[in-house]
Amino acid sequence: MIQGTASHVGKSIVVTALCRIFSDMGVKVAPFKAQNMALNSFITKDGKEIGRAQAVQAEAARIDPCVEMNPILLKPTTDLGSQVIFMGRPVGNAKAREYYAMKERALDVIREAYESLCERFDLIVLEGAGSPAEINLAEQDIVNMRMAELADAPVILVSDIDRGGVFASLIGTMTLLPDQQRERVRGFLINKFRGDRSLLAPGLKQIEERTGKPVFGVLPYIRDLRIEQEDSVALSEKKSRSMEPDGKVRVGVVRLPRLSNYTDLDPLEGDPGMDVIYVDDKETIRGLDVVIIPGSKDTIGDLRYLKETGMAHAICDYSNNGGQVIGLCGGFQMLGKTIEDPHGVESAKSAEAGLGLLPVETVLEREKVTAQVQAVSMDGLTNLTGYEIHMGKSIRLNGCSGMFRITKRNGRSVDEEDGAQSPKGNVWGTYIHGIFENAPIRRRLLDSIRKGHHACSSELTDYHELKSREFARLAGLFREYVDMDAILQAAGLG
């Protein structure tokens, strides 16, 4: 089991690296995270919702993601509450104390999922959440040491040196753990180191002397690692100001307070002809070549944020002057005339006027749509795959055309229009996530924007090949800087 001294120290990346390394060795390995809190999610082949990190880790392990890899997913809707998802299906919204009352039920769900994986795989790499030393929450723990004990798993503790305080974090965490849990920790990994490793030697020696545990390795700071992340801290590190003009297409992603599934935009960041920036002020809008409003877990709340900050007005002016605006899922809903939430599934406000850029009306419903889909563009020229995660149903008005036609949903043949597009074609929206992983869609986006004054490259990255290379790169660095013999011994593969 991989645990950490805090959030965003590198637990998910370490699990990803180990899944690829064990897969390279021919071990039938799977990832597992008992409880995940994230707004980035993924839909499995059977239409179940799990955390994006476990889907990426499964890809690294060369297996299909399944709901047992992340049996409980919490999607924050406010600072105090979250949508609670058990085995890929929502069971309601809850504040922290309400969720803690569900602990025994949650443990049963976790146990059954873990045991199911154990029957199908030779090795499970478990991931913790936050820190195991959150002493105020120790009694409610079901994802860190409680899970390690349930699985009888040895623990490797990861800490991030780039943010500072790595020695206090490791030694302090060990000090706060009860004796029995402290014994379960086999050793440490230090992540994101820059500089001369020899300068660390005195500190590493003190860690080992004070804790009696070895440091298994010091991983370097890996620049431009093209592997999706789901942590909100990773989102905060995205570029927020435009770069100097360099001939690239300037793609502006609106940084919503409850932005979800921002990994939808990762494929655009990997293309050499695009410069993706995250926009949080109205003045930046007019200097962009395309504006993308991403998904949201609080669509009405985030729409009101756009209005309060003046960004809504700026986006509408941009569109009226011919600028291209794209809405993904919740962003698509915001582009319409109205959003209604009569059942309070996301907001206490029952209705809100949209930006009015598409003749669409949306009603949020109790039942969540979760599906993998195959689709084709309305002109029949471009095939694509992706997935749906949405609570709403949108109705096109006045003969408005859809953007895509869904041909399969969770493997079943269907014939349904998705999304909408404006008569001029410069505004469109879709419910399909992962759409930009399809290179032909990125090509059409580039071609629709380029008007001769751009010198952007015609080359397009194969996103899946790019990720495969990045998995190999990550695994290679891990083998180089980590004592893999010690890891193999801990995993029972020595």
Side-chain angles (χ1 to χ4, degrees):
M1 186 174 196
I2 306 301
Q3 296 187 24
T5 57
S7 294
H8 201 59
V9 297
K11 296 184 291 291
S12 295
I13 287 295
V14 169
V15 172
T16 302
L18 290 175
C19 282
R20 177 46 60 104
I21 289 170
F22 289 132
S23 176
D24 287 343
M25 294 170 59
V27 177
K28 195 175 180 183
V29 60
F32 178 86
K33 186 165 184 173
Q35 173 190 289
N36 205 343
M37 178 175 280
L39 285 176
N40 272 338
S41 56
F42 178 82
I43 301 301
T44 62
K45 284 185 174 179
D46 57 352
K48 304 294 179 61
E49 189 174 7
I50 64 172
R52 184 78 189 190
Q54 282 63 63
V56 171
Q57 291 158 358
E59 188 177 357
R62 299 184 174 93
I63 57 176
D64 288 332
C66 64
V67 72
E68 288 84 3
M69 295 172 184
N70 176 211
I72 297 180
L73 176 62
L74 305 177
K75 302 187 77 171
T77 54
T78 67
D79 289 341
L80 297 176
S82 297
Q83 183 183 59
V84 180
I85 298 170
F86 280 6
M87 293 301 288
R89 298 296 187 205
V91 296
N93 292 345
K95 295 181 179 179
R97 291 188 182 278
E98 296 167 337
Y99 175 62
Y100 293 153
M102 305 165 67
K103 178 181 173 181
E104 294 307 316
R105 178 185 174 191
L107 280 170
D108 288 341
V109 169
I110 289 166
R111 188 179 295 106
E112 289 178 15
Y114 176 72
E115 290 174 354
S116 174
L117 280 186
C118 288
E119 292 173 359
R120 290 141 54 193
F121 293 92
D122 300 323
L123 178 68
I124 314 295
V125 183
L126 299 93
E127 180 182 342
S131 162
E134 304 288 356
I135 54 179
N136 59 315
L137 301 176
E139 288 297 316
Q140 310 302 334
D141 173 43
I142 58 175
V143 65
N144 287 307
M145 283 299 179
R146 181 71 178 269
M147 186 63 224
E149 290 164 356
L150 188 154
D152 193 21
V155 172
I156 298 170
L157 193 62
V158 181
S159 193
D160 176 1
I161 196 170
D162 189 54
R163 294 176 178 273
V166 69
F167 304 109
S169 296
L170 286 170
I171 296 170
T173 297
M174 292 296 286
T175 301
L176 290 172
L177 291 176
D179 291 345
Q180 187 175 1
Q181 294 180 0
R182 194 159 47 235
E183 286 301 311
R184 192 169 287 281
V185 178
R186 296 292 180 85
F188 311 116
L189 287 176
I190 293 177
N191 192 27
K192 300 182 186 176
F193 178 71
R194 316 183 200 216
D196 183 351
R197 190 183 183 284
S198 66
L199 298 177
L200 267 182
L204 301 183
K205 183 179 179 182
Q206 283 208 45
I207 289 175
E208 295 182 347
E209 288 176 350
R210 287 172 179 259
T211 64
K213 309 286 183 178
V215 177
F216 288 158
V218 178
L219 288 162
Y221 188 97
I222 307 174
R223 298 184 184 279
D224 300 320
L225 186 65
R226 308 297 307 157
I227 295 176
E228 301 117 320
Q229 300 183 62
E230 66 182 3
D231 197 291
S232 59
V233 182
L235 175 60
S236 70
E237 295 175 349
K238 298 284 189 180
K239 290 184 293 183
S240 60
R241 287 191 298 274
S242 180
M243 307 292 286
E244 291 297 320
D246 55 6
K248 294 183 178 182
V249 169
R250 296 178 296 275
V251 180
V253 180
V254 179
R255 194 191 294 270
L256 302 170
R258 294 290 172 190
L259 193 160
S260 67
N261 283 78
Y262 67 84
T263 50
D264 282 343
L265 292 312
D266 282 4
L268 300 182
E269 296 186 39
D271 267 330
M274 301 193 195
D275 182 19
V276 178
I277 63 171
Y278 280 72
V279 179
D280 47 19
D281 69 274
K282 61 183 180 181
E283 300 302 327
T284 307
I285 298 291
R286 57 189 166 200
L288 300 169
D289 295 306
V290 59
V291 173
I292 298 178
I293 307 177
S296 167
K297 197 67 192 73
D298 181 6
T299 309
I300 288 179
D302 281 354
L303 176 57
R304 297 183 76 185
Y305 162 81
L306 293 183
K307 295 176 179 179
E308 291 164 0
T309 59
M311 292 184 70
H313 184 73
I315 292 169
C316 290
D317 278 353
Y318 174 85
S319 167
N320 292 334
N321 288 317
Q324 184 163 181
V325 180
I326 300 171
L328 303 177
C329 199
F332 162 48
Q333 295 172 346
M334 294 181 203
L335 292 177
K337 290 180 173 294
T338 59
I339 303 174
E340 296 182 19
D341 189 1
H343 310 296
V345 296
E346 282 190 359
S347 172
K349 188 172 174 60
S350 61
E352 184 75 19
L355 300 183
L357 298 179
L358 289 174
V360 168
E361 293 179 347
T362 297
V363 177
L364 301 185
E365 300 176 328
R366 289 191 176 99
E367 190 72 22
K368 178 183 277 194
V369 176
T370 56
Q372 285 196 3
V373 299
Q374 296 178 29
V376 63
S377 59
M378 293 301 288
D379 59 15
L381 298 177
T382 306
N383 295 311
L384 62 129
T385 61
Y387 53 97
E388 296 174 299
I389 316 171
H390 57 93
M391 302 292 291
K393 183 177 182 180
S394 297
I395 304 298
R396 290 176 294 278
L397 308 173
N398 305 326
C400 173
S401 171
M403 188 64 192
F404 303 104
R405 184 174 295 280
I406 296 176
T407 57
K408 283 192 176 181
R409 179 176 283 116
N410 288 338
R412 296 189 301 274
S413 294
V414 297
D415 184 9
E416 298 177 10
E417 287 190 31
D418 162 78
Q421 55 185 322
S422 65
K424 293 182 180 179
N426 66 315
V427 181
W428 60 271
T430 177
Y431 274 123
I432 301 175
H433 290 284
I435 192 168
F436 294 122
E437 293 186 26
N438 300 273
I441 297 297
R442 299 200 306 278
R443 163 59 62 207
R444 292 184 70 151
L445 176 62
L446 274 173
D447 289 346
S448 69
I449 297 168
R450 191 164 41 210
K451 295 181 175 68
H453 65 284
H454 288 296
C456 60
S457 169
S458 61
E459 177 186 355
L460 278 178
T461 302
D462 185 311
Y463 187 60
H464 299 286
E465 286 186 9
L466 171 65
K467 285 202 290 184
S468 182
R469 291 195 300 270
E470 291 295 85
F471 288 142
R473 174 189 172 203
L474 177 63
L477 286 168
F478 204 88
R479 291 187 187 100
E480 180 179 355
Y481 289 99
V482 174
D483 182 352
M484 277 305 302
D485 286 341
I487 302 290
L488 292 173
Q489 288 287 346
L493 299 172

